[in-house]
Every structure is written in structure tokens, then in C-alpha cells.
Amino acid sequence: MLLSATPPPGPRPAQEVRLYEEATRHRGLTPPRTHPLASITWLGPAASNPALAYRVGGDPAHLAESRRWIEAAVRLPHWGKAHMPDHDLDAGWLLHHLALAYKWIGDDLPDGVRALLRYKLLLQGRRMYEFAVASEGRWWSSSYWQNHNWICYAGLATAGYVLGKEEWTERAKDNLGTVLDLMPQDGSHAEGVVYWRYGVPFLAIHLDLLQEAEGIDWWDRGGFMSHTFRYRLHQTAPGFAFNVDHGDCHDRRSGHSAGLYYRLGAQYALPEAQWMGDLASGELLWKEAAESGVRPGILPEAYLEYLWYDPSVPAARPTETRAFFPDLGLLAARTGWDDDATLVSFKASPGGGHRAWETAAKHRAEQGWETLNQGHHHPDSGSFVLVSQGAFLAVDEGYSNRKRAAHHNLLLVDGQGYADEDRYHVYRDIPFERQARQRDVLVSPDCGWAHATAEIAAMYDPALGVRRLDRTLVFTPSGRLVLLDLAEAEAAVEWTFLLQTDRPTEALPDGSRLIRSGAATARVRQFAPTDGRAVCEVTEVVANPTSSTPELSLTRTLHTWRSTTARSAQGLFLTAIGPGTQTDAARVPCAEGQGVTFGTETVLLSPVARRIRTEGVSADAAAVLLTSGGAPYVVAATRLERDGTVLLDVPQPYTGKVG
């Protein structure tokens, strides 16, 4: 498709309009005569989109526009200025786009321009190739789980196929095969949604090139590509405009790639992906373009939308409301997809996810290579994001350079977050054993409940003596949250519960707190500790999200509610969060275990001892989840007795519906 500029058969009027609009968007700009300090990635699509528009419609004005930007790019002695000139993202982007332009309109360019463009592509491709060879085992050349790797090799492959440089395409192909074999099969991505939409399109580009140029179909290799739309879908906020911002996220708007949605929808027969592509390139397009902090953004993808849209793929609005991605330890649950629905996203895993963490350790031991570059992964295992009524209520920090657990909805021990944090590469050179994980996961599409327990004790400085720090999160069918934090240490310490919001929480007369974001609200009630002290603070997070633009700085202000226990070797926080001002919770008296009820929904928990004893319920289980008039659900249960009737008695722990 890409090399031949041939889309799937059928009409594509909306995509054609998009292409022509994008082909003319830069006509009022004067191309730079010298390299700006900022990134020049945008120069590539400024040339390729009008080149494709000329191929499609034949208007010589599009040819002239493409030539204008080609000439601007090729006269720059280097591609990239502030960071790794010729060897990183600027060069990768321009190699891809200008090689396509050369392929599409090269025969229609004046001889001198065509020759200069070919020479420049050969020069830049050689520079990129030689750097990749020389730096193998370090940085992007073998950082298999990182967007720089995918973009730079896709750019090298595009130029290689267009110019007939088999040396380049073979190296890029070998890398692509390794990437596909090593990416998580569940489709999750540790860099977060923003870098998913920035980097994964280039994996799809490379697969498209490989299939067209060599007849090799690797779309199903490894499983990542076939499942990754589902990951992206479940990191979409209700209403579809915004994204959950785990990992480095410049903002909550930079998450959509209509072109990639179309390609995944066509390749894997995903009606939801087709529907999301239509939404992203239609209703959401201009707000995403205006408010996104990622450049060059969604508008330059018009060429991909045109070439990857398959009109034969039906479109269907998403309906699935629960998902768990084991590699990233990511649980996502929602009450629906409408603007007012409630969503929680809860994660815990080693740096980069389980597969990357384990494989990178082998590379380090066996080859001396450092392949896991996870600068965009945060110290956020055990943290969660809550969205409801069209607003973010419990929030994440977004992008940061000095990453800290204190910027997330997490827990501190004696005021300290994760060991070796407060730096950009927060997982670099830490012990292999320092891993978080999820256990006791319940995600059932028919019940509405979601449950998981994050084990995060290993993430803290061993000098703190933390033996256990387990966070259990329960999402009820109506969208309420129950959090149970159980902590143990070798000696007495202070345990601090953190809740991050976009504006200060408000104390209510009954002892609860109100989260407010615009018209949206939620009530927070903390049942334990009963003798803790609470304060509200301002937390500022400062970041530069791109090394190619050193002067760019983002400052995000969080409002942090801190609840701290008296010094103790054991800590327990029992917290309920109910969206809406009318939602309230009560503690359930338990002889063993912990319980919270919202009236029609009751949560009983014992994630460690697995013994729940309360009026009417006796269970050997990590959790018993009850709704009025409905069958109970259990987690890791061997026995459940309710109102004197034994409903479950099994030798092996069972998770799911009882009865």
C-alpha cells in the first residue's frame, strides 16, 4: 500500500478530503532556510502529503508544494540539531516521508531536485545505518520496546526499499522480527498511550513495507499487533476524547491515531477500530490537533488515513467494559462508554512490563547489552486513575523528568517513595528482584465487578524494612471504588496514603472529602486509620518532554491529599470513593477481614489471611462481592457460607460467580 500508493478498493471521500486539506495546510508558511533548534519531524509529512495528493488528483499545485518542502529538507546539512543529529527521531521521520515522496513523485521532479533528494536520502540513510551498527547494545539500535527504535528503523527501511539498499532493509527487518517476538502478546505498552500513538504506527508502517516489498506477512508474529488496539481502547476515557495518562503523557488529548486504527481494523477485522478511526479523523480531529502537546500530531497522518482506510470493514461502537493486560498488570473497568460513565485504570508490573523486564535481564547477563530503555515508564505500580461524569477525578502526573511515587496515587513509607526514584530512567540498574505485580484478578464481563491486588513492597528501599505492601482495588458494577492497603515493616514507620486531584479536595462535615472537577464530583471516605493526620498540599511536576526542543518546559500542578498513620510496624488504609455527591459508604463490622457497603453493593476483603467473618457471611476467600438480589462473586475462595447455607466448598481457590 505505502510504496505503491495504492489503498484498498472502494470509495474514501472523507479520507480524500483530509488528504487534500493536509496537502495545502502549510502553503502560507515559508520553509526554514537553516535548521531550527526545535524538532523538524514535521518537514517530512509536509512533503509527503502533497506528494500523495498529487498522485491521487494530479493537481500540479500539490507537486509544487511537495517540492518546496523537499528542497527545504535536503538543503539542511543535518537532520536534527539539539539532540543526536542524523541519528534519531528527526532523521527517522524524514527518511520515511521523503523516501515515500521520492517514490511517489520522483519522476515528476526536475532532474536536479530528484538527484539532490536521492543523494540526501543515501547520505542520511548511511548515517543512520552506521550509527545503528556502531551503537548496537546501547540506546535505540537495540531498545526493542521503545518508540525511537521503531521510528528510526522504519525510516531506514523505507529509504532502503525505495533506493534498493538491501543492507539497510535486512538490518531493519531483523530488528523488526526481534521486536515482534519480544513485545507483550497482550498488546500493552509500558510507555503509555501517548507514545503508543507516536511509535506503534511505525511498526505498522514497517509491516506494510515488508509485506509489499518482500511479500512477507508478519502481522500475526508474536501477537502484539493483533491485540494492541484492545489495549489502546481500554485506555480511552468515557466519551472517547481523552486518554488515561499512565506513563509519560504530555496531556490527556494526545492519544488518537486514525490511520493506525484503520490499519488495525482492516488487518484484524476489528469493527471497533474502524469506528474509532472514523471518530478520530472526524468529530475529534481538530480538538486533538489543537490541544495535543505531541508534534507533529494527528493532522500529518492524512496519508496513512487515505492509504490504510478499507471501506469494506464495518464500524461498530465499542461495548466491552472490562479488560486485564497481564504483562503490564493493567486492569481497566468502566460502567460504559458514554461521557458520564465511570472508568478506573489500575496497574502494577516490573519496569517495562514482565516480558521486557525478564528478557532485558537475559540480554544484560548473556550479551552485555542494555536493551530496556524505559525512560517513559513511571514508578506508579499500585496507582490508579479515576474518571467519571466527563472529568478526571483521581489523576496521574502526566509527563515528568524526575519521576517519583509521590506524584501518583500511591503510598509512602516514612515519607519515601520507590527506591532509586527521582530521576528520568527510574528503573535503570536496579535489582532484578525489585518487581511489582498483580494477583487475584477478577475481570468478568457478565458481572460488572473488577478486582485485583497489587504487590508493591519490593519497590521500596530495603533499608525501610517493608515486608508487605499490598493494595487491593475493587470496582463495583455501579462504578464505586474500594481500596484496601495492607502494610507490614520490620520496625515502626509512618505510612502515607496519597490521592492526587486537579483541584484541592474539600473536607465535608461528616468527615468525608469531596473531589470536584468542573461539574463532576466524588466522595472519599477513609474508614481506617481512625487516628491518622491529613493534609492537602500542592505538588508541582516540571518536565521537558522532548530532548529535540530543549527550551520546552511543562509544569503540571497536582493537589495532593495525604493521610498519614501514627508510627507502627503495620499499616491499614480502608478507603471508599463514590462518584457523585449522593454516593456514600459505610463500614461493615467484621470479626475477620474488612468490609464496605454502599447499600446495594457490598465488598468484603481479606487478601492476605483469606478469612472473612461477618454477619451472614463466612468465607475462606480473598474477596466476597455482593449485590442486592444477585449471585455473589468470590476471589481466591475455597469456601463460602451465606446465611447458614454453604454455597461453595472446593479444594482449590476459585474466582468467579457462585451459583
PDB file of all heavy atoms in Angstrom, residues 471-488:
ATOM      1  N   ARG A 471      -1.944  -3.541  47.811  1.00  0.00           N
ATOM      2  CA  ARG A 471      -3.122  -2.692  47.571  1.00  0.00           C
ATOM      3  C   ARG A 471      -4.157  -3.490  46.796  1.00  0.00           C
ATOM      4  O   ARG A 471      -3.897  -3.965  45.676  1.00  0.00           O
ATOM      5  CB  ARG A 471      -2.768  -1.430  46.803  1.00  0.00           C
ATOM      6  CG  ARG A 471      -3.974  -0.749  46.162  1.00  0.00           C
ATOM      7  CD  ARG A 471      -3.703   0.661  45.720  1.00  0.00           C
ATOM      8  NE  ARG A 471      -3.697   1.567  46.861  1.00  0.00           N
ATOM      9  CZ  ARG A 471      -3.467   2.886  46.766  1.00  0.00           C
ATOM     10  NH1 ARG A 471      -3.194   3.418  45.594  1.00  0.00           N
ATOM     11  NH2 ARG A 471      -3.493   3.646  47.835  1.00  0.00           N
ATOM     12  N   THR A 472      -5.334  -3.636  47.375  1.00  0.00           N
ATOM     13  CA  THR A 472      -6.458  -4.272  46.691  1.00  0.00           C
ATOM     14  C   THR A 472      -7.428  -3.194  46.233  1.00  0.00           C
ATOM     15  O   THR A 472      -7.815  -2.320  47.023  1.00  0.00           O
ATOM     16  CB  THR A 472      -7.181  -5.260  47.620  1.00  0.00           C
ATOM     17  OG1 THR A 472      -6.272  -6.291  47.995  1.00  0.00           O
ATOM     18  CG2 THR A 472      -8.384  -5.885  46.929  1.00  0.00           C
ATOM     19  N   LEU A 473      -7.784  -3.261  44.965  1.00  0.00           N
ATOM     20  CA  LEU A 473      -8.748  -2.328  44.392  1.00  0.00           C
ATOM     21  C   LEU A 473      -9.945  -3.115  43.887  1.00  0.00           C
ATOM     22  O   LEU A 473      -9.784  -4.124  43.182  1.00  0.00           O
ATOM     23  CB  LEU A 473      -8.128  -1.515  43.263  1.00  0.00           C
ATOM     24  CG  LEU A 473      -9.036  -0.505  42.551  1.00  0.00           C
ATOM     25  CD1 LEU A 473      -8.239   0.730  42.127  1.00  0.00           C
ATOM     26  CD2 LEU A 473      -9.704  -1.120  41.314  1.00  0.00           C
ATOM     27  N   VAL A 474     -11.145  -2.653  44.260  1.00  0.00           N
ATOM     28  CA  VAL A 474     -12.393  -3.245  43.785  1.00  0.00           C
ATOM     29  C   VAL A 474     -13.212  -2.162  43.105  1.00  0.00           C
ATOM     30  O   VAL A 474     -13.392  -1.063  43.655  1.00  0.00           O
ATOM     31  CB  VAL A 474     -13.199  -3.868  44.943  1.00  0.00           C
ATOM     32  CG1 VAL A 474     -14.516  -4.437  44.415  1.00  0.00           C
ATOM     33  CG2 VAL A 474     -12.395  -4.949  45.645  1.00  0.00           C
ATOM     34  N   PHE A 475     -13.689  -2.474  41.923  1.00  0.00           N
ATOM     35  CA  PHE A 475     -14.581  -1.601  41.155  1.00  0.00           C
ATOM     36  C   PHE A 475     -15.941  -2.271  41.118  1.00  0.00           C
ATOM     37  O   PHE A 475     -16.066  -3.407  40.659  1.00  0.00           O
ATOM     38  CB  PHE A 475     -14.029  -1.419  39.739  1.00  0.00           C
ATOM     39  CG  PHE A 475     -14.795  -0.454  38.872  1.00  0.00           C
ATOM     40  CD1 PHE A 475     -14.622   0.913  38.996  1.00  0.00           C
ATOM     41  CD2 PHE A 475     -15.672  -0.933  37.898  1.00  0.00           C
ATOM     42  CE1 PHE A 475     -15.300   1.801  38.173  1.00  0.00           C
ATOM     43  CE2 PHE A 475     -16.359  -0.055  37.073  1.00  0.00           C
ATOM     44  CZ  PHE A 475     -16.174   1.325  37.213  1.00  0.00           C
ATOM     45  N   THR A 476     -16.973  -1.596  41.639  1.00  0.00           N
ATOM     46  CA  THR A 476     -18.299  -2.204  41.731  1.00  0.00           C
ATOM     47  C   THR A 476     -19.058  -2.034  40.416  1.00  0.00           C
ATOM     48  O   THR A 476     -18.685  -1.212  39.580  1.00  0.00           O
ATOM     49  CB  THR A 476     -19.113  -1.577  42.871  1.00  0.00           C
ATOM     50  OG1 THR A 476     -19.608  -0.291  42.454  1.00  0.00           O
ATOM     51  CG2 THR A 476     -18.288  -1.424  44.142  1.00  0.00           C
ATOM     52  N   PRO A 477     -20.141  -2.782  40.235  1.00  0.00           N
ATOM     53  CA  PRO A 477     -20.912  -2.641  38.988  1.00  0.00           C
ATOM     54  C   PRO A 477     -21.419  -1.228  38.735  1.00  0.00           C
ATOM     55  O   PRO A 477     -21.576  -0.831  37.575  1.00  0.00           O
ATOM     56  CB  PRO A 477     -22.069  -3.624  39.189  1.00  0.00           C
ATOM     57  CG  PRO A 477     -21.513  -4.672  40.090  1.00  0.00           C
ATOM     58  CD  PRO A 477     -20.610  -3.931  41.044  1.00  0.00           C
ATOM     59  N   SER A 478     -21.658  -0.455  39.790  1.00  0.00           N
ATOM     60  CA  SER A 478     -22.149   0.917  39.590  1.00  0.00           C
ATOM     61  C   SER A 478     -21.027   1.944  39.537  1.00  0.00           C
ATOM     62  O   SER A 478     -21.287   3.145  39.434  1.00  0.00           O
ATOM     63  CB  SER A 478     -23.133   1.293  40.703  1.00  0.00           C
ATOM     64  OG  SER A 478     -22.477   1.333  41.949  1.00  0.00           O
ATOM     65  N   GLY A 479     -19.768   1.500  39.646  1.00  0.00           N
ATOM     66  CA  GLY A 479     -18.651   2.412  39.462  1.00  0.00           C
ATOM     67  C   GLY A 479     -18.068   2.981  40.736  1.00  0.00           C
ATOM     68  O   GLY A 479     -17.386   4.009  40.696  1.00  0.00           O
ATOM     69  N   ARG A 480     -18.307   2.337  41.879  1.00  0.00           N
ATOM     70  CA  ARG A 480     -17.679   2.788  43.121  1.00  0.00           C
ATOM     71  C   ARG A 480     -16.363   2.046  43.331  1.00  0.00           C
ATOM     72  O   ARG A 480     -16.191   0.916  42.862  1.00  0.00           O
ATOM     73  CB  ARG A 480     -18.605   2.549  44.305  1.00  0.00           C
ATOM     74  CG  ARG A 480     -19.830   3.448  44.276  1.00  0.00           C
ATOM     75  CD  ARG A 480     -21.074   2.663  44.459  1.00  0.00           C
ATOM     76  NE  ARG A 480     -22.256   3.494  44.720  1.00  0.00           N
ATOM     77  CZ  ARG A 480     -23.443   3.007  45.005  1.00  0.00           C
ATOM     78  NH1 ARG A 480     -23.619   1.691  45.094  1.00  0.00           N
ATOM     79  NH2 ARG A 480     -24.475   3.802  45.210  1.00  0.00           N
ATOM     80  N   LEU A 481     -15.461   2.674  44.071  1.00  0.00           N
ATOM     81  CA  LEU A 481     -14.155   2.090  44.346  1.00  0.00           C
ATOM     82  C   LEU A 481     -14.007   1.781  45.825  1.00  0.00           C
ATOM     83  O   LEU A 481     -14.409   2.581  46.676  1.00  0.00           O
ATOM     84  CB  LEU A 481     -13.025   3.047  43.968  1.00  0.00           C
ATOM     85  CG  LEU A 481     -12.641   3.242  42.512  1.00  0.00           C
ATOM     86  CD1 LEU A 481     -11.377   4.087  42.436  1.00  0.00           C
ATOM     87  CD2 LEU A 481     -12.440   1.920  41.817  1.00  0.00           C
ATOM     88  N   VAL A 482     -13.396   0.643  46.112  1.00  0.00           N
ATOM     89  CA  VAL A 482     -12.941   0.321  47.456  1.00  0.00           C
ATOM     90  C   VAL A 482     -11.457  -0.015  47.357  1.00  0.00           C
ATOM     91  O   VAL A 482     -11.052  -0.827  46.515  1.00  0.00           O
ATOM     92  CB  VAL A 482     -13.717  -0.857  48.059  1.00  0.00           C
ATOM     93  CG1 VAL A 482     -13.127  -1.244  49.422  1.00  0.00           C
ATOM     94  CG2 VAL A 482     -15.192  -0.506  48.206  1.00  0.00           C
ATOM     95  N   LEU A 483     -10.656   0.625  48.217  1.00  0.00           N
ATOM     96  CA  LEU A 483      -9.226   0.386  48.276  1.00  0.00           C
ATOM     97  C   LEU A 483      -8.871  -0.119  49.661  1.00  0.00           C
ATOM     98  O   LEU A 483      -9.239   0.496  50.670  1.00  0.00           O
ATOM     99  CB  LEU A 483      -8.436   1.669  48.009  1.00  0.00           C
ATOM    100  CG  LEU A 483      -8.596   2.317  46.638  1.00  0.00           C
ATOM    101  CD1 LEU A 483      -8.041   3.729  46.664  1.00  0.00           C
ATOM    102  CD2 LEU A 483      -7.884   1.494  45.582  1.00  0.00           C
ATOM    103  N   LEU A 484      -8.148  -1.225  49.715  1.00  0.00           N
ATOM    104  CA  LEU A 484      -7.628  -1.743  50.969  1.00  0.00           C
ATOM    105  C   LEU A 484      -6.117  -1.862  50.842  1.00  0.00           C
ATOM    106  O   LEU A 484      -5.612  -2.610  49.998  1.00  0.00           O
ATOM    107  CB  LEU A 484      -8.232  -3.112  51.295  1.00  0.00           C
ATOM    108  CG  LEU A 484      -7.663  -3.808  52.539  1.00  0.00           C
ATOM    109  CD1 LEU A 484      -7.889  -2.979  53.800  1.00  0.00           C
ATOM    110  CD2 LEU A 484      -8.247  -5.209  52.699  1.00  0.00           C
ATOM    111  N   ASP A 485      -5.397  -1.107  51.681  1.00  0.00           N
ATOM    112  CA  ASP A 485      -3.936  -1.139  51.697  1.00  0.00           C
ATOM    113  C   ASP A 485      -3.482  -1.806  52.985  1.00  0.00           C
ATOM    114  O   ASP A 485      -3.790  -1.324  54.087  1.00  0.00           O
ATOM    115  CB  ASP A 485      -3.364   0.272  51.606  1.00  0.00           C
ATOM    116  CG  ASP A 485      -3.764   0.971  50.320  1.00  0.00           C
ATOM    117  OD1 ASP A 485      -3.468   0.427  49.247  1.00  0.00           O
ATOM    118  OD2 ASP A 485      -4.372   2.053  50.399  1.00  0.00           O
ATOM    119  N   LEU A 486      -2.754  -2.918  52.856  1.00  0.00           N
ATOM    120  CA  LEU A 486      -2.219  -3.646  53.999  1.00  0.00           C
ATOM    121  C   LEU A 486      -0.702  -3.572  53.956  1.00  0.00           C
ATOM    122  O   LEU A 486      -0.082  -3.928  52.940  1.00  0.00           O
ATOM    123  CB  LEU A 486      -2.665  -5.106  53.973  1.00  0.00           C
ATOM    124  CG  LEU A 486      -4.174  -5.369  54.120  1.00  0.00           C
ATOM    125  CD1 LEU A 486      -4.458  -6.853  54.019  1.00  0.00           C
ATOM    126  CD2 LEU A 486      -4.696  -4.805  55.430  1.00  0.00           C
ATOM    127  N   ALA A 487      -0.100  -3.126  55.060  1.00  0.00           N
ATOM    128  CA  ALA A 487       1.342  -2.888  55.078  1.00  0.00           C
ATOM    129  C   ALA A 487       1.969  -3.479  56.335  1.00  0.00           C
ATOM    130  O   ALA A 487       1.363  -3.480  57.409  1.00  0.00           O
ATOM    131  CB  ALA A 487       1.623  -1.387  55.018  1.00  0.00           C
ATOM    132  N   GLU A 488       3.192  -3.981  56.176  1.00  0.00           N
ATOM    133  CA  GLU A 488       3.968  -4.500  57.300  1.00  0.00           C
ATOM    134  C   GLU A 488       5.423  -4.099  57.109  1.00  0.00           C
ATOM    135  O   GLU A 488       5.938  -4.109  55.987  1.00  0.00           O
ATOM    136  CB  GLU A 488       3.882  -6.022  57.381  1.00  0.00           C
ATOM    137  CG  GLU A 488       2.495  -6.591  57.576  1.00  0.00           C
ATOM    138  CD  GLU A 488       2.495  -8.107  57.511  1.00  0.00           C
ATOM    139  OE1 GLU A 488       3.602  -8.696  57.551  1.00  0.00           O
ATOM    140  OE2 GLU A 488       1.413  -8.704  57.390  1.00  0.00           O
TER     141      GLU A 488
END
